[in-house]
Amino acid sequence: MKILIGQPKKEENLEQLSFELKTNSSVDLIIYPEGYCQKTDLEKVSYLAEKFKTAIVMGYKDNQNLDRALIINNNGKVILDRAKTPEIKTLYTPSTTQDNGIQYGYLLCREVFLGLEGLKNENSINIIFNPIGVGMFSEEQYSDWSGEAKQISIQQKSIVIGTSHADGSYRNCGFSIPIAFCFDETGEVILLSKNDTRTRILDTVTKTVEVIDSIVKSH
């Protein structure tokens, strides 16, 4: 399976998503960050997934500007759509779903810190996704976040993949470390990057990552 790990800039017209789908026909699935698009974009996202026969994992903003988790399969069908944990509430239990014989786990942004507890009784999860809104606000958070993802991969014996936007900062604090990572089923690093927003393609069979040319992120 080939998975494109994208770190787009925040945008309104699905420009980078459309570009990467058109130029990477070998990809089976794309993972994009939390809050990449709006609810009004979902019909187009489903159309693109079906047109290019590529599953799409990301987060989107609903009509109240609240974040939701999303997975659309390569037939354009929504197979996961749920709210993100509100900030003042206890973290939601992680989601799982399956498609074409592959079992997926989904942790939206900071829900990664419930992953060890929330997924411990789940079996046979092949890939766990962690779409993140903006990058890390400190080196310490970067270490904590990636460390938690690694522990989840070891516990669940699953590939864990996360990615953030290339731009933006937590509550507009002005500091951000864009992040992308992938750990294999033993916790070994396949990809662990910071301040490097190039697009990658992961081959889950060979456990290798290819850096590819992407749209110029100037918009």
Side-chain angles (χ1 to χ4, degrees):
M1 185 178 190
K2 290 189 175 181
I3 299 175
L4 186 147
I5 304 170
Q7 295 180 84
K9 281 194 171 183
K10 295 182 177 182
E11 57 185 5
E12 297 181 357
N13 299 313
L14 307 182
E15 184 178 353
Q16 186 168 333
L17 176 66
S18 299
F19 176 87
E20 291 187 323
L21 282 165
K22 291 174 184 176
T23 55
N24 295 285
S25 59
S26 67
V27 167
D28 301 295
L29 182 148
I30 283 182
I31 175 172
Y32 259 32
E34 172 193 29
Y36 172 69
C37 67
Q38 305 294 320
K39 185 175 182 179
T40 53
D41 297 317
L42 296 191
E43 184 175 344
K44 183 176 180 181
V45 175
S46 290
Y47 165 78
L48 290 170
E50 183 178 17
K51 179 180 179 180
F52 294 102
K53 296 301 176 187
T54 303
I56 297 173
V57 177
M58 63 172 64
Y60 74 94
K61 299 282 188 180
D62 67 14
N63 292 336
Q64 285 74 48
N65 202 39
L66 299 175
D67 286 297
R68 295 186 67 85
L70 180 71
I71 301 179
I72 296 176
N73 71 11
N74 63 4
N75 292 316
K77 178 183 177 182
V78 175
I79 61 172
L80 176 67
D81 183 353
R82 64 139 174 99
K84 179 186 177 182
T85 305
E87 287 198 23
I88 62 173
K89 299 288 185 68
T90 301
L91 288 171
Y92 290 161
T93 300
S95 300
T96 58
T97 189
Q98 70 86 30
D99 186 60
N100 292 324
I102 301 175
Q103 188 77 7
Y104 297 127
Y106 193 116
L107 305 162
L108 186 56
C109 199
R110 66 190 181 91
E111 292 169 359
V112 70
F113 293 101
L114 189 66
L116 289 173
E117 181 64 23
L119 292 173
K120 69 179 182 180
N121 295 319
E122 296 284 349
N123 297 316
S124 303
I125 299 177
N126 302 108
I127 304 171
I128 299 171
F129 301 111
N130 181 215
I132 305 162
V134 295
M136 306 287 99
F137 57 74
S138 68
E139 291 284 349
E140 182 180 11
Q141 188 195 28
Y142 173 83
S143 296
D144 289 346
W145 203 290
S146 57
E148 197 74 11
K150 177 177 181 177
Q151 291 306 309
I152 292 169
S153 70
I154 295 169
Q155 174 183 276
Q156 296 304 128
K157 298 180 174 60
S158 302
I159 293 173
V160 179
I161 306 170
T163 189
S164 76
H165 282 97
D167 59 345
S169 60
Y170 179 69
R171 294 184 177 178
N172 297 315
C173 69
F175 179 81
S176 179
I177 304 172
I179 181 174
F181 58 79
C182 179
F183 298 95
D184 74 8
E185 302 91 335
T186 69
E188 287 296 312
V189 174
I190 300 175
L191 167 67
L192 183 57
S193 76
K194 60 181 179 180
N195 290 320
D196 182 350
T197 59
R198 294 175 296 176
T199 297
R200 277 96 166 177
I201 294 179
L202 163 71
D203 188 320
T204 62
V205 176
T206 62
K207 307 292 176 61
T208 57
V209 172
E210 175 189 4
V211 179
I212 63 169
D213 290 331
S214 187
I215 193 168
V216 176
K217 300 173 186 177
S218 60
H219 54 280

